[in-house]
Amino acid sequence: MTTVAEQIVTALADLGVRTVWGVVGDALNPVTDAIRREDRIEWIGTRHEEAAAFAAGAQAQLTGTLGVCMGTVGPGSLHLLNGLYDAKKSHAPVLAICGQVPTAELGADFFQEVDNDQVFRDVAAFRHTITAASQMPRVLEQAVQAAYAAPGVAVLTLPGDVGAAEVAKDSAVHITRIPARLAPDEEQMARAAQLLDEAGKVTMLVGTGARESRAAVLDLADHLAAPMVLTLKAKEGLEADNPFQIGQSGLIGNPATHEALKSADALLMIGTDFPYPEWLPAGTATVQIDTRAEHIGRRTPVDVGVVGDAGLSATALMGRLRRKDDRKHLERARSEYEDWLGHQRRLTDPEHDKSLVGKVRSLLDNTEDKIRPEVLATLIDRHAADDAVFTTDTGMSTVWLARFVTMRGTRRLLGSFNLGSMANAMPQALGAAAVDRGRQSIAFCGDGGLTMLLGELLTAAAYDLPVKLIVFDNGRLGMVKLEQEQGGLPEFGTELSNPDLAGLARAAGLPAARVTDPEQLEAAVIAALAAPGPYLLDVVTNPEEIALPPKTSVDQAWGFAIAKVKEGLVSRGAKA
């Protein structure tokens, strides 16, 4: 006879699930035992369930296949929450299997009992506690279908006595995935075409929802002579070999995107729910195309909303639009972008700091020849494979990746871009490495993020997951430091007393190196990326390096200056 646990595990394997992440324990023992006997699925035991959820979400985003993680009764399930919220906000199909106290003890405030159906109400598109084997396989089918349909999180809670219960002899699992492309409404397409035709200068803001429709979106940009601002997630698939793109907007953006958005007569948003309305132009005629109706107009007022697939909508627009022959708007934006790139590249030149002498150099932030994070990011970009998977921690690591790493070839990019969690880069890289151990998986780790889930170094070593952990070790919570200084506050509470992170990694069983000398950096990067298994490269970078946003207000600039004065006073023992 087949048990509930066995039926779940076999169904997941049939769906194409190849890895399950989590921490073993009591109520889930029937499930982990079924995994042990299922040759198609690898169990990877993490040191913290949060890492398991991040890894499962990463796999779901990379493959489109259901990611699966597990946490046992009470605290084990609660630890999943942060990673599951990241999956929800990233629209990644993930199934969390959670343990529960025996059914006879439900509602009795038993040891470790938590009401999972209430706890996961907000994060999950579907959640249910299986209290009898007769509910199978219907509840499993509902959970998986809901995760794929959202796409998002489904949570199945399994009391220990139910997992070992036998299902009916004629019980069979039927899960159907039906891919669909939503065609746009013709009337709305006509209105959108009229608005764009009447606009002199059009700027496009393109998100990850258009990634699979690259050719159609680039053709549309050419037709409109429109510069293309890419969201961070749209770098993947839309950045390389794109003569219309001008980089990102927001805090990680550049002056070209700011000017292109501000000077446009019309804004065309495709496949993006860009969450920062303050960086969008006010009073500009706007067309928004998205597969999700709830996204239309929730960031900025929209004149024409089109609910439809990005590629189908772009193609339909092309058939209605007049070609714009005046390309000055596009050419100006591209020229400004190339100028900005040139300034950024100068920071990556090893001779840059040496060329600045005397008073000029004393006013700068790198008087001790510390390693610039821009140089580290550039070297990783130069030597990483064209099919590498990159993950990045929230904070300054993301800034350096956004500005200095190009998503060329078939490179992929993952991060906590919607939730904004710390500590995501390493577990997401573990998830990517488990999908394909022959493909480079490179994590841009902040020192704060890495040390938050430091135990997962042991996971990388135990399962020989060939992640390359590149640590931007500036001894700071760098983004918080920047936020404080822009507000005129002295830096406080952001300094990190870090150990030798390479030494810690070696103690955990990983090869590692620590770099403090700029002259040794490139050789260290090459060695790290060439290592056959997991490797940690601890690079001590300049903590004073900053990345100013494309538009800095007078108040922000003045606040930064005041903060620097206060920091100087504090450093000499005075009160700020």
Side-chain angles (χ1 to χ4, degrees):
M1 295 292 288
T2 301
T3 67
V4 169
E6 290 168 341
Q7 187 172 61
I8 291 173
V9 170
T10 300
L12 294 177
D14 290 344
L15 273 173
V17 173
R18 294 295 173 260
T19 316
V20 175
W21 303 78
V23 178
V24 298
D26 43 37
L28 294 180
N29 284 338
V31 182
T32 51
D33 186 62
I35 292 171
R36 177 183 63 82
R37 292 179 279 111
E38 173 54 74
D39 292 337
R40 293 174 292 174
I41 293 181
E42 178 185 15
W43 167 261
I44 296 184
T46 58
R47 295 306 177 104
H48 195 291
E49 292 87 352
E50 180 182 352
F54 271 125
Q59 291 189 321
Q61 291 177 72
L62 288 173
T63 67
T65 300
L66 189 73
V68 182
C69 57
M70 292 175 25
T72 192
V73 184
S77 296
L78 295 176
H79 284 168
L80 293 169
L81 265 172
N82 192 52
L84 292 181
Y85 265 106
D86 189 78
K88 173 190 177 179
K89 294 177 77 68
S90 299
H91 305 296
V94 171
L95 173 66
I97 302 172
C98 296
Q100 187 54 285
V101 302
T103 51
E105 303 297 341
L106 284 171
D109 196 22
F110 196 70
F111 175 64
Q112 291 190 320
E113 182 183 5
V114 171
D115 187 343
N116 285 347
D117 292 342
Q118 286 295 325
V119 167
F120 294 103
R121 177 181 292 274
D122 181 60
V123 75
F126 178 91
R127 71 252 179 253
H128 186 79
T129 298
I130 304 175
T131 55
S134 59
Q135 294 176 296
M136 288 287 292
R138 177 175 53 85
V139 173
L140 174 63
E141 293 166 347
Q142 286 180 280
V144 174
Q145 299 270 141
Y148 276 128
V153 175
V155 178
L156 278 183
T157 296
L158 197 62
D161 56 318
V162 174
E166 294 181 349
V167 298
K169 186 180 296 186
D170 59 350
S171 174
V173 181
H174 299 284
I175 297 171
T176 304
R177 295 184 62 188
I178 306 173
R181 298 182 71 191
L182 185 61
D185 178 74
E186 288 294 323
E187 182 179 342
Q188 293 299 96
M189 294 306 299
R191 292 183 59 213
Q194 181 180 354
L195 185 153
L196 295 172
D197 271 341
E198 292 174 355
K201 296 177 291 185
V202 178
T203 295
M204 296 171 65
L205 175 61
V206 182
T208 189
R211 183 169 59 87
E212 301 297 333
S213 306
R214 174 188 167 95
V217 171
L218 264 63
D219 285 347
L220 181 58
D222 183 40
H223 205 70
L224 291 169
M228 187 186 299
V229 180
L230 299 179
T231 66
L232 179 57
K233 292 195 289 185
K235 274 174 67 77
E236 176 191 321
L238 286 168
E239 178 182 47
D241 301 319
N242 180 348
F244 309 101
Q245 72 93 10
I246 55 172
Q248 282 70 62
S249 184
L251 288 174
I252 60 173
N254 65 76
T257 60
H258 174 58
E259 182 60 31
L261 290 168
K262 187 179 75 170
S263 63
D265 299 313
L267 172 64
L268 173 58
M269 302 170 65
I270 304 180
T272 178
D273 188 34
F274 184 73
Y276 307 108
E278 66 271 23
W279 294 96
L280 296 175
T284 301
T286 300
V287 175
Q288 185 175 2
I289 299 171
D290 204 289
T291 55
R292 295 173 175 270
E294 67 269 25
H295 288 179
I296 304 293
R298 76 174 179 178
R299 307 302 183 190
T300 190
V302 167
D303 297 271
V304 181
V306 176
V307 179
D309 173 82
L312 294 177
S313 300
T315 301
L317 264 181
M318 283 279 291
R320 293 175 177 271
L321 287 168
R322 294 191 300 271
R323 183 178 179 84
K324 292 188 184 297
D325 296 322
D326 185 349
R327 305 181 78 79
K328 292 188 180 66
H329 179 54
L330 170 62
E331 291 166 355
R332 178 184 175 188
R334 283 288 297 178
S335 176
E336 290 180 348
Y337 177 57
E338 290 295 337
D339 286 347
W340 176 80
L341 281 180
H343 288 295
Q344 295 296 301
R345 290 190 190 105
R346 281 197 284 276
L347 292 174
T348 70
D349 182 352
E351 300 301 314
H352 174 72
D353 291 330
K354 297 176 183 177
S355 67
L356 303 169
V357 296
K359 286 186 177 180
V360 174
R361 189 174 184 194
S362 69
L363 294 172
L364 300 179
D365 55 10
N366 201 27
T367 57
E368 298 178 16
D369 292 325
K370 296 176 181 177
I371 296 174
R372 287 188 179 273
E374 299 97 329
V375 177
L376 174 56
T378 298
L379 290 173
I380 296 293
D381 178 53
R382 181 182 304 163
H383 295 291
D386 284 355
D387 67 345
V389 178
F390 289 87
T391 67
T392 179
D393 271 333
T394 301
M396 297 307 295
S397 300
T398 295
V399 175
W400 310 132
L401 183 142
R403 293 187 173 184
F404 297 98
V405 175
T406 303
M407 291 294 114
R408 62 178 179 267
T410 55
R411 288 178 170 181
R412 301 293 304 271
L413 176 60
L414 297 172
S416 185
F417 300 134
N418 292 343
L419 181 62
S421 174
M422 289 178 65
N424 61 285
M426 176 165 53
Q428 287 181 327
L430 294 175
V435 170
D436 183 354
R437 282 174 164 84
R439 187 177 188 180
Q440 275 186 349
S441 178
I442 302 170
F444 273 42
C445 299
D447 46 359
L450 180 88
T451 53
M452 193 175 281
L453 283 175
L454 198 59
E456 301 315 319
L457 293 176
L458 299 166
T459 305
Y463 294 91
D464 195 28
L465 294 167
V467 290
K468 313 306 177 200
L469 306 173
I470 312 300
V471 187
F472 288 74
D473 187 353
N474 63 356
R476 294 291 193 282
L477 298 176
M479 186 64 79
V480 180
K481 167 182 162 68
L482 179 60
E483 291 165 350
Q484 290 175 347
E485 291 175 340
Q486 283 187 329
L489 300 173
E491 179 185 7
F492 180 77
T494 64
E495 295 187 27
L496 303 175
S497 179
N498 291 331
D500 180 341
L501 295 174
L504 278 179
R506 287 191 290 269
L510 272 69
R514 179 178 173 89
V515 185
T516 59
D517 182 353
E519 299 294 332
Q520 299 174 359
L521 182 60
E522 184 161 20
V525 165
I526 293 171
L529 295 180
Y535 195 98
L536 184 142
L537 183 62
D538 179 17
V539 181
V540 181
T541 59
N542 179 15
E544 299 302 328
E545 199 78 9
I546 63 170
L548 293 176
K551 58 171 184 176
T552 303
S553 68
V554 172
D555 286 345
Q556 286 174 328
W558 182 247
F560 186 79
I562 293 296
K564 285 301 182 186
V565 171
K566 289 180 178 179
E567 287 170 16
L569 292 174
V570 170
S571 70
R572 288 189 288 272
K575 291 184 179 180

